[in-house]
Each structure stands twice: as C-alpha cells, then as structure tokens.
Amino acid sequence: MTTTSSPGLAPDALAPRLTAYTVVGGLRELYMTHEAHHRDTATEELLPLVDRVLDFARAGLLRSTAP
C-alpha cells in the first residue's frame, strides 16, 4: 500500500489506529441496532455479529500491513 506520511513515520503507522476506529464504529453500529436494544435478545445471538466486526477489522489490518 503506497501512502504519503510524515517524515520519520512508516507508511503503515496509522494502521492500528484505523483498525481501532473500525472496531469501535462497528461495535457502535451493532449497539445501535434494533436487535441489540431488545431485552430478550440473548448475548449468544449478538456474538456472531461481534465476531464479524472483529474479522472485518482484522482482515483490514492484515491487508494494510502486508508486505
């Protein structure tokens, strides 16, 4: 991945921060969904959605830091 960066920073220096923003944003969207606000929604039902958010962020981090 070719990017411009500040002197002294590696091109992928912002990858961890971008990944953190992705996770926080994804989990926030999940929290704001209608299903998450129902008291009868079991935690076990939400875990696959959380896993999808984490998988997406993990894939992006691996892709952005790949040689």
Side-chain angles (χ1 to χ4, degrees):
M1 184 166 138
T2 305
T3 60
T4 59
S5 62
S6 299
L9 290 178
D12 60 354
L14 294 178
R17 183 174 290 180
L18 180 59
T19 301
Y21 286 137
T22 300
V23 170
V24 170
L27 294 177
R28 183 178 186 285
E29 287 298 317
L30 176 59
Y31 175 77
M32 298 302 290
T33 62
H34 183 68
E35 293 83 12
H37 287 285
H38 284 285
R39 298 234 184 255
D40 60 344
T41 301
T43 301
E44 294 80 27
E45 295 174 32
L46 296 174
L47 289 178
L49 298 174
V50 171
D51 287 340
R52 287 185 67 191
V53 169
L54 296 176
D55 288 343
F56 181 81
R58 186 177 297 115
L61 180 62
L62 291 174
R63 174 76 172 126
S64 67
T65 59

